[in-house]
Each structure stands twice: as structure tokens, then as C-alpha cells.
Amino acid sequence: MTDKPVYLPERLALLSDLNAASYLSEAVLAGKESAPAISIGKATEPLPGDEARSMLAPVRDLFDEAMYRYRDDKPTRADAWLAPRLHATLRLDRREAADRRRWNHLALGVGPDYITWRHMPDPKQDGKAPIVSANRFRGAHHTQAFARLWWAAELFRNGPDYGPVVTACTQQDMLNTVLRLDAIDHRPTAQAMVRLIERGTVRTGREINALAGVVNTSAATLMYEVIAPDVERDGEPLRGWIEASESAGPVTHDMLPEGPEEGPAPEASVELLVDYFAELFDDARVRGRVDKAFDAD
């Protein structure tokens, strides 16, 4: 695994895609050496202002704590712990989170060792020398190691409640497949899919992929926003939550933090979609599941 960067600046920063790509050598991706932290520091752009949420140390502390907590476990289990805490520590709005330069710096300048620890393939899988995919360092929001956790927390939280985020992130196919769907930007849709996992209707990765398929296909003809409306979003709670970062202090390691004090998704809309998605899933083709009609015979 890559060593922790020997040079860590005081604040988070922005690193362009072009510069990030230049540091992704095969040795870095294989975890055999660290990216040149000092050179990366010189190539970054500072974040505007001097807000507390741009301090690097609290984020780095989360990476260290996650690797320590799950040192004897599957690294994938760290996702459910880290996602809500990373979201609550960074306190970004969606415009800021859409800036890939932020995640490039977090990956190469702050936590490259975390990425190689979390995403290094098992060498037993194909017999080849393991190497981390470059898109874990520099990639789309649903593949980049830290962006995908932030967006999972943003899209699956229910107002200030990160509980649904934990449920979603315990299932890798919620991150690998569902996070790609445009439909989950609709809060009742996201909450309904999590609710089906919580109730045991959907249990395995194959079932989650099947559910994602039918939800996405149905969204092409049925507007979920119409049949299961969300409340109009008010930006003031988010702005207040971001401003409160100046006095918030580090997130707790053993209790879930709280997100912006937004109202939850309307329960009636969530339950309507739970029932609708359960019907869709009941008729979905799931690899390995015996067809109902065949089973009845």
C-alpha cells in the first residue's frame, strides 16, 4: 500500500485533471510509491477564502481512522463509515462537489494511501499484479474514490439523517450501479430504493442491479416527480449548515453526524414508490433467481 504523504499542506486545494493525470504513474497505481506530494502542492490552486471546512487535517484524520478501524476487515466495509463523515466534514454544496479538481487533490495530495488500501484488487482474482484503476484517483463522480462517497451521502441522506446512507453504502452495487442513475436525484426514489433493502425485499448485489434496471427503465416513461412529488427544496438550511462549519468541530467517530436541517422526503411519496418498485422488482429478471411461473410448476 502507498505510504501516507510525507508532505501535507494545511488546507485542501484544487488540482486540475491534466496535472492529476501526469502523476498517475504505474508505480503509484500499483501502490509501490507515493505521488510526489511537494510537486503536487506546487501544482494546486488554493481554495477561495480561509473557511474552517477547507482545513486538511480533519479529512486526513478520517482516512487514518477508517484504515485503522477496518484493518482486519474487508476494506469495502469502510465505505458506510466514511461516506457520511466525509460529507459532514467537507460541508460542500453540489456546485462545489461537481468540481473534479477538488477530488483530484483529495486523492493525490491527501489520501492516495487510502485509495490503494480501499481499491487495490485482490491478486488472487486473475493472477495478475494488482493495480488500482486510474478512475479511482481521477474520474467521474460515481467512480472516483472520494467523490462517489460524497455523492452517495448527498443523494441517500434523508434531510439531516445519514442512516439511509449507511444502508446504501453497505451494498456495493448501490454505489457501483444505482449511483449512476439520474432517477436517484429524486429524493423519494432514492429513499424508496434504500427502504427496500432495509425491509429485506432486495438483498443481494444481483437483486440491487435488477431493481436498478427496472427503476431506470420505468423512469423513461413514468415521471416519478409527478406521481410521488418531493417538497420544494429550500437552500437556507444548507447555507446555514455550511456556515456553521466555522464552529462545528470534528465529526464524531462513533456516532453518525447530522446533515443540513432540511425536511425529509415526503413519507407518502416514499411509501408509494416502495410499493411500486416492489411490484416492478417482483417481475424483474434476476440472475440465479428461479422464475416464479417455473417454480410454481
Side-chain angles (χ1 to χ4, degrees), residues 235-250:
E236 190 57 37
L238 176 62
R239 287 190 291 271
W241 184 68
I242 291 174
E243 292 171 359
S245 65
E246 294 302 307
S247 58

Side-chain angles (χ1 to χ4, degrees), residues 5 36-40 42 45 51 58 63 68-69 95 100 133-134 146-147 153 159 204 238 273:
I38 294 178
S39 297
I40 289 173
K42 293 178 179 178
E45 303 172 43
E51 297 171 295
F63 300 160
Y68 177 77
R69 281 181 175 245
R95 177 188 58 80
R100 287 168 52 132
S133 174
F146 300 127
T204 68
L238 176 62
L273 290 180

Side-chain angles (χ1 to χ4, degrees), residues 156-287:
F156 290 115
R157 67 181 174 87
N158 196 13
D161 181 13
Y162 286 116
V165 178
V166 175
T167 299
C169 290
T170 56
Q171 298 286 346
Q172 285 300 300
D173 287 283
M174 289 292 282
L175 294 171
N176 296 336
T177 302
V178 177
L179 199 59
R180 300 169 183 260
L181 304 181
D182 291 339
I184 62 163
D185 193 42
H186 178 236
R187 294 197 306 163
T189 294
Q191 292 306 309
M193 296 184 77
V194 170
R195 199 78 56 91
L196 288 172
I197 296 174
E198 292 174 341
R199 294 181 181 179
T201 305
V202 178
R203 300 173 183 271
T204 68
R206 289 180 178 180
E207 291 177 345
I208 288 170
N209 287 329
L211 175 64
V214 294
V215 167
N216 194 49
T217 299
S218 177
T221 56
L222 182 65
M223 294 185 65
Y224 298 146
E225 297 90 343
V226 174
I227 66 167
D230 195 358
V231 295
E232 185 175 349
R233 304 290 292 276
D234 178 5
E236 190 57 37
L238 176 62
R239 287 190 291 271
W241 184 68
I242 291 174
E243 292 171 359
S245 65
E246 294 302 307
S247 58
V251 299
T252 59
H253 290 172
D254 296 317
M255 295 179 59
L256 277 180
E258 291 188 356
E261 287 295 328
E262 300 171 335
E267 186 62 20
S269 293
V270 174
E271 283 299 318
L272 185 150
L273 290 180
V274 166
D275 292 341
Y276 179 62
F277 292 164
E279 291 180 9
L280 291 178
F281 175 70
D282 199 38
D283 293 329
R285 289 186 174 275
V286 181
R287 281 199 308 142

